[in-house]
Amino acid sequence: MTANTSLPPHKIIGVAVIWNDHQQILIDRRLPEGVMGGLWEFPGGKLEPGETIPECIKREIKEELAIEIEVGKHLITIDHTYSHLSVTLTVHHCRLLTGIPQPIQCDQICWVKLDDLDNFTFPPANHQIIAALRQQVITNKQEPNHF
């Protein structure tokens, strides 16, 4: 007899670690409804067919936050499986070019220093992003060079 195991759906997500000129990172809080509602995250979204990860990140940030960004160096790629979803997060450093971030598709936005990220509750996969950012600072012995 074989067990009927159904795998959760898989999504490829482009994720932005958006830096401003004050070495702060933009995070957003998910809308309260739905799975993981109310948790903080690094903004981004689902890769569309025919799109590159940098194109996905730029599009999602424009749609979700109404700002223009420059997509810089790749930080980390994370494969994570939740009970309801399997994700591949491809994370890039990004820089704010123009606009003032607006919480269009999220509940709230906040600019924070890397050291302050522990004050916010993130989904489990995002903890690896924070760890990678901190490791990069230790390796560089300074704020990360994102471009």
Side-chain angles (χ1 to χ4, degrees):
M1 179 182 270
T2 59
N4 182 10
T5 57
S6 64
L7 298 173
H10 179 257
K11 291 184 182 178
I12 298 172
I13 310 290
V15 179
V17 176
I18 304 170
W19 296 88
N20 66 16
D21 293 337
H22 305 288
Q23 294 301 311
Q24 294 172 312
I25 302 167
L26 185 66
I27 58 174
D28 67 66
R29 189 165 62 191
R30 298 171 67 94
L31 294 170
E33 57 273 355
V35 178
M36 296 189 284
L39 297 180
W40 289 87
E41 65 183 358
F42 298 95
K46 187 176 79 158
L47 183 71
E48 297 293 340
E51 208 172 35
T52 66
I53 292 292
E55 289 169 343
C56 167
I57 293 171
K58 282 185 172 185
R59 176 186 52 77
E60 287 285 346
I61 298 309
K62 186 170 181 76
E63 290 173 3
E64 293 180 4
L65 301 170
I67 57 174
E68 297 287 338
I69 60 167
E70 176 184 1
V71 178
K73 291 180 183 176
H74 174 260
L75 173 65
I76 190 172
T77 298
I78 300 164
D79 289 307
H80 188 87
T81 302
Y82 295 99
S83 61
H84 65 290
L85 179 68
S86 171
V87 294
T88 298
L89 305 178
T90 303
V91 186
H92 282 259
H93 288 289
C94 299
R95 182 170 56 97
L96 175 65
L97 294 177
T98 60
I100 297 171
Q102 305 295 315
I104 296 170
Q105 294 182 11
C106 59
D107 191 44
Q108 185 179 352
I109 54 176
C110 187
W111 287 105
V112 298
K113 288 284 194 182
L114 181 57
D115 290 342
D116 295 329
L117 289 174
D118 290 337
N119 299 326
F120 299 86
T121 305
F122 287 86
N126 282 234
H127 296 182
Q128 293 178 63
I129 299 170
I130 296 168
L133 286 166
R134 290 189 171 135
Q135 183 59 46
Q136 191 171 64
V137 170
I138 291 167
T139 301
N140 293 343
K141 295 184 176 48
Q142 60 189 9
E143 292 297 328
N145 176 11
H146 354 293
F147 291 92

